[in-house]
Amino acid sequence: GNTLAAAQGLIKKHDAFETDFNVHRERLNEIINQGQALIDANNHHSDSIADSIRSANDLIDRLNQSSEARRQRLNENWSILQFFWKADVVESWIAEKQAQLRSDDCGHNLTTVQNLLAKHDTFNSGLNAFENEGIKNIIQLKDQLAGSLASQADLIRVKQKFDHVYEKWQALIAASDSRRSQLKVAEHRFREIDDLYLLFAKKASTFNSWFENAEEDLTDPVRCNTIEEIHELIKAHERFMNTLGNAVVDFDELTQLDAKIRASQMGPNPYTWFTIDTLRDTWRSLQKAIKDRDADLQQERERQEQNDILRQQFAQLAQSFYKWLTDTRNEMMEIGSNITTLESQLSATKKKSDEIRSVKAQFKTIEDLSTKLEERLILDNKYTEHTTLSLAQAWDQLDQLGMRMIHN
């Protein structure tokens, strides 16, 4: 038989033959026993009977040998066909797995290549399991046939088939290793790119946070009350400008990272929505904010310098006016002690009273200057403790003093 089914059919036929042969052999043995009994009884045909018995035994032996030889050939053929059938199954399985390894897909990012590696590890586990089941099975069948086959031609056929299948198995193992190496190289490449993505995302986030804080400081309205305050703001801005070099370094690093990422020809960064273009816009916004801040600080410094000049002018006039009021009060208090006659005292007092009222026009200059200070929201003056109200009250008190002295 050339197929397992045909070989199995022949074996079944031979089984039936052996069953029938055993039945006939038992009957023939009974006849031989009967003939032997006649010989033992000294039958006059003993010689002829003995010859027939020998012929029957020879026939049984030859037929039994032929049956055993036939059985051996059928079993060998069955084993050979079974080996070739299992070898074909193994070869077909190997061909199917080889087709799976022909894929050029190495993923398009770290996640996809890691998924492919996980699938390939499962594929390799299947290879290991199949090696313990399929490959070792045909190795055992080959070894069994090598020890039992009598035909050298059959041995050569079996060995050639085994070598052919095992060579394909080794090729499959090599292809699997090559595929895994290819995926590991891709994983390493994508991991490097993923690390670049992560690094860019972290640096971009840090840079943007720094920018937001800087922008908040730079766009904070510049409005001071004293020249010292504007000087402090200018110093703070100078300190900020001194640290700007670090931001330049960070931005250059981001630019270099973006160039590396672009060179990899990958898609958008999955870890951040920031791009180098948005960061460039941010950087340009920062430069504009710095220029605007410089202009605002310069303008406010000029305003505070003008305010300080007005404060000094007011302080000078106020102190001079207050000194005059004080000196005049002292002079009026001395009139009674320096002048003896009442007429002279009255005349001197009226003269001082006229002087007091005449300086009211000078006080108008102080009031105008105070109004200007109020318009510029200058509510404090470190150069003097006097105010328009306090000076007006002091003048009024001095005027009242003059009138009381005249009345007295």
Side-chain angles (χ1 to χ4, degrees):
N2 295 325
T3 65
L4 283 172
Q8 190 174 24
L10 291 175
I11 289 174
K12 287 182 177 179
K13 286 182 180 180
H14 191 70
D15 290 340
F17 167 79
E18 286 184 341
T19 300
D20 187 59
F21 172 67
N22 289 331
V23 171
H24 286 82
R25 183 165 56 182
E26 289 177 0
R27 292 176 182 175
L28 188 58
N29 284 333
E30 291 176 358
I31 295 173
I32 290 173
N33 290 335
Q34 292 174 2
Q36 187 62 43
L38 291 173
I39 293 174
D40 293 340
N42 294 319
N43 189 283
H44 62 282
H45 292 293
S46 295
D47 293 338
S48 175
I49 293 171
D51 290 339
S52 296
I53 289 174
R54 283 194 293 272
S55 297
N57 284 328
D58 288 342
L59 180 62
I60 290 173
D61 290 341
R62 288 197 301 274
L63 191 58
N64 186 58
Q65 290 174 1
S66 297
S67 176
E68 290 178 352
R70 174 66 174 171
R71 165 69 68 179
Q72 182 178 357
R73 289 195 299 273
L74 288 174
N75 287 338
E76 287 180 353
N77 185 57
W78 167 259
S79 297
I80 291 171
L81 289 174
Q82 190 178 41
F83 168 81
F84 274 89
W85 174 75
K86 290 188 176 182
D88 287 340
V89 171
V90 169
E91 187 174 0
S92 176
W93 187 90
I94 291 173
E96 179 184 345
K97 298 304 176 183
Q98 278 281 15
Q100 295 180 19
L101 292 176
R102 292 193 184 99
S103 174
D104 294 329
D105 182 18
C106 289
H108 58 274
N109 55 36
L110 183 60
T111 301
T112 55
V113 74
Q114 286 178 336
N115 289 338
L116 288 174
L117 271 170
K119 290 181 180 179
H120 192 72
D121 289 340
T122 303
F123 178 87
N124 278 339
S125 298
L127 291 186
N128 293 332
F130 187 77
E131 183 177 18
N132 293 327
E133 297 174 3
I135 300 300
K136 288 186 177 180
N137 191 11
I138 64 170
I139 290 175
Q140 291 175 353
L141 287 176
K142 184 262 298 182
D143 293 340
Q144 290 173 2
L145 289 173
S148 62
L149 290 180
S151 171
Q152 189 66 25
D154 288 337
L155 283 173
I156 293 173
R157 286 176 55 222
V158 169
K159 185 177 184 304
Q160 288 177 342
K161 182 64 174 180
F162 174 80
D163 290 344
H164 174 70
V165 173
Y166 196 75
E167 182 180 346
K168 288 195 172 185
W169 170 252
Q170 292 295 99
L172 177 64
I173 297 297
S176 177
D177 293 341
S178 175
R179 171 65 174 168
R180 193 173 195 284
S181 298
Q182 186 182 21
L183 290 174
K184 291 299 289 185
V185 170
E187 181 190 34
H188 178 71
R189 173 174 172 267
F190 286 129
R191 190 179 296 281
E192 287 183 339
I193 296 171
D194 199 67
D195 290 342
L196 290 176
Y197 276 143
L198 277 172
L199 185 59
F200 182 89
K202 290 178 181 178
K203 285 185 173 293
S205 178
T206 301
F207 181 82
N208 187 69
S209 297
W210 171 86
F211 165 74
E212 288 178 349
N213 293 330
E215 185 183 40
E216 184 178 353
D217 293 338
L218 291 171
T219 56
D220 190 34
V222 179
R223 199 69 181 177
C224 301
N225 294 320
T226 65
I227 195 168
E228 288 79 13
E229 290 182 11
I230 187 61
H231 286 165
E232 286 299 321
L233 287 180
I234 291 173
K235 288 179 181 178
H237 186 64
E238 290 174 349
R239 287 193 296 269
F240 168 77
M241 294 301 294
N242 290 334
T243 63
L244 198 60
N246 296 330
V248 173
V249 173
D250 292 340
F251 185 76
D252 289 343
E253 289 179 355
L254 284 167
T255 303
Q256 293 171 7
L257 284 173
D258 180 74
K260 291 180 180 178
I261 292 173
R262 289 178 183 272
S264 66
Q265 297 181 346
M266 297 293 291
N269 193 326
Y271 301 110
T272 181
W273 61 270
F274 293 117
T275 65
I276 196 63
D277 293 331
T278 59
L279 294 177
R280 283 197 183 99
D281 292 340
T282 297
W283 185 251
R284 283 192 287 266
S285 298
L286 179 69
Q287 300 303 314
K288 182 179 182 302
I290 290 173
K291 291 181 180 178
D292 293 343
R293 185 69 171 182
D294 286 335
D296 291 343
L297 290 172
Q298 181 63 28
Q299 183 179 357
E300 182 63 17
R301 181 172 66 178
E302 292 175 357
R303 193 176 77 87
Q304 288 302 325
E305 287 175 350
Q306 293 172 2
N307 289 351
D308 203 62
I309 291 172
L310 291 176
R311 285 191 183 95
Q312 293 182 40
Q313 290 176 350
F314 179 85
Q316 184 178 0
L317 290 174
Q319 288 171 353
S320 177
F321 186 75
Y322 184 77
K323 183 177 183 303
W324 183 89
L325 291 176
T326 302
D327 293 343
T328 301
R329 175 184 287 275
N330 292 335
E331 290 175 0
M332 289 177 68
M333 298 304 294
E334 293 174 355
I335 289 176
S337 58
N338 294 333
I339 302 175
T340 56
T341 64
L342 291 176
E343 291 80 2
S344 298
Q345 290 179 3
L346 178 60
S347 175
T349 301
K350 286 183 177 181
K351 183 178 180 181
K352 285 296 181 185
S353 181
D354 292 339
E355 289 179 6
I356 291 170
R357 289 175 181 173
S358 66
V359 298
K360 185 69 173 176
Q362 297 179 10
F363 184 69
K364 181 67 170 60
T365 303
I366 296 176
E367 287 181 323
D368 292 342
L369 188 55
S370 177
T371 300
K372 187 178 294 185
L373 289 172
E374 290 176 0
E375 289 174 351
R376 296 174 71 94
L377 300 178
I378 303 173
L379 305 178
D380 61 332
N381 194 334
K382 66 178 180 177
Y383 299 108
T384 181
E385 59 185 7
H386 304 300
T387 64
T388 306
L389 179 60
S390 67
L391 292 174
Q393 290 174 346
W395 178 88
D396 187 62
Q397 290 172 1
L398 186 60
D399 185 48
Q400 293 294 328
L401 176 62
M403 288 191 295
R404 286 198 302 272
M405 290 177 67
I406 292 172
H407 177 73
N408 292 337

